[in-house]
Amino acid sequence: MVQPSGGALDPQGPVARSIGELTWLLTGLGVVAFVVFAVVLGVGLLRRRGGERPADLGRPNRFILLGGVAFPTVVLIVAMGFTVQTMRVTPSAAPADALVIEVIGHQWWYEVRYPEAGVETANEVHLPVGRPVEFRLSSADVIHSFWIPELGGKMDLLPEDRNTLVLTADAAGVFRSQCAEFCGLQHAKMGLVAVAEPQAQFAAWLNDQARTAAAPTTPEARRGLEVFRSAGCSECHAVAGTEFDGQGGPDLTHLATRQTLAAAVVPNTRHHLARWITDPDGVKEGTKMPGAALDEADLNALLRYLESLR
Ligand code: CUA
């Protein structure tokens, strides 16, 4: 599961690290400038109170030249130098061995594709440690923003254009990504889980995700498949290997392998899955997923079927 972490202040990759260093530098410069300003302001107020005459404004004052011109110029040049340096080390083009992952923003979830492996999933990206990943970012509706704080970013997901972000994870870890551009009612609940894992583990995961769904093996799960059809789930959701090919919502072929539901809003447990199906608005107000009114037997059968999608 996602571990609590320092987010952008706990960089886990080269891009996040250089942006993190720049953040600390700019914060430090800001603090120094603020303290100097506050001290000078304090001194000025106290001296004025003492009845001294204001400085002669008729000729250039050494103090103003130093504090108003020299000091800001030095601060801004230093800040610009380090900013340009950070931009230089942030890759703008992907190396040839980069893994391509397409991320498509929707209100309010993420479609995730691995084009080379023919894999489609949602709200969870897996990436191999140490290998650069070329995220190809776009949107199906409004502007969203892709951001994995520990790995760096952020970058807009645009409806009309494709952006590219190249990130590398240094070590294994599970991070929560957060949509970083206001995109409607559920912007705050538009999350994604990023799993950085060793190459072999990643390859095994990708291999599993590329399989079509196994046919349900128990009578109850088979009944659940019928409920999936009759309750209208298949209007929006696809399950590879079946005739279900709805495109409006997340692909559910390997739903049971995912850590969360509803775009990283609740953990993927039976309890939360039942609630998400029957009362989606209660889990995530404003969600475009309609609730299904099912009796207990049908709901349990449907849960069995969804839990079989491994
Ligand atoms: Cu999507 Cu904010």
Side-chain angles (χ1 to χ4, degrees):
M1 280 306 287
V2 181
Q3 306 288 326
S5 90
L9 299 180
D10 180 24
Q12 301 290 325
V15 172
R17 200 159 29 252
S18 61
I19 293 173
E21 284 163 4
L22 181 66
T23 303
W24 284 116
L25 179 92
L26 294 179
T27 306
L29 286 174
V31 168
V32 169
F34 176 78
V35 168
V36 169
F37 171 79
V39 167
V40 170
L41 179 69
V43 168
L45 286 172
L46 289 173
R47 281 181 60 178
R48 182 66 69 82
R49 207 168 284 160
E52 274 190 39
R53 282 169 47 209
D56 181 358
L57 297 176
R59 58 193 163 84
N61 182 313
R62 201 172 44 150
F63 185 70
I64 291 175
L65 283 177
L66 261 178
V69 180
F71 181 68
T73 303
V74 170
V75 168
L76 290 178
I77 286 176
V78 170
M80 190 177 85
F82 280 93
T83 303
V84 170
Q85 174 62 20
T86 302
M87 288 164 70
R88 281 165 52 97
V89 301
T90 307
S92 53
D97 68 329
L99 171 76
V100 174
I101 303 179
E102 294 171 1
V103 178
I104 301 149
H106 293 257
Q107 285 174 317
W108 290 272
W109 59 282
Y110 297 91
E111 182 180 342
V112 177
R113 294 161 179 252
Y114 294 73
E116 287 150 50
V119 164
E120 182 172 342
T121 180
N123 302 322
E124 191 164 313
V125 293
H126 286 236
L127 54 154
V129 167
R131 181 172 168 197
V133 175
E134 178 186 347
F135 285 102
R136 293 183 182 166
L137 309 171
S138 60
S139 170
D141 37 51
V142 300
I143 299 175
H144 306 269
S145 178
F146 182 72
W147 183 37
I148 307 174
E150 286 86 351
L151 300 185
K154 14 180 124 140
M155 186 71 82
D156 277 356
L157 298 146
L158 302 173
E160 313 258 297
D161 211 349
R162 195 180 78 191
N163 274 333
T164 300
L165 184 64
V166 183
L167 299 175
T168 309
D170 282 340
V174 183
F175 314 115
R176 189 184 188 279
S177 158
Q178 171 62 43
C179 181
E181 176 86 35
F182 182 73
C183 55
L185 189 59
Q186 278 308 336
H187 156 68
K189 287 187 173 172
M190 183 166 169
L192 168 136
V193 175
V195 182
E197 55 198 358
Q199 175 64 45
Q201 214 172 312
F202 168 76
W205 175 84
L206 194 62
N207 206 36
D208 284 346
Q209 297 287 313
R211 288 182 296 114
T212 54
T217 51
T218 66
E220 198 179 18
R222 274 196 287 277
R223 177 174 166 189
L225 184 146
E226 293 309 319
V227 175
F228 192 90
R229 192 196 325 268
S230 59
C233 308
S234 56
E235 308 258 319
C236 293
H237 296 287
V239 178
T242 70
E243 83 272 25
F244 306 142
D245 60 355
Q247 294 299 314
D251 182 291
L252 300 183
T253 309
H254 298 284
L255 172 70
T257 67
R258 292 183 206 149
Q259 300 195 4
T260 67
L261 299 169
V265 171
V266 288
N268 187 2
T269 64
R270 170 167 263 252
H271 164 78
H272 287 293
L273 185 55
R275 185 148 178 253
W276 179 231
I277 291 166
T278 52
D279 180 24
D281 219 54
V283 176
K284 188 166 169 173
E285 194 179 2
T287 179
K288 301 198 170 174
M289 167 147 152
L294 299 171
D295 65 32
E296 205 175 326
D298 279 352
L299 177 62
N300 283 329
L302 180 58
L303 290 169
R304 288 282 180 229
Y305 173 58
L306 294 173
E307 285 166 354
S308 79
L309 298 175
R310 302 206 60 85

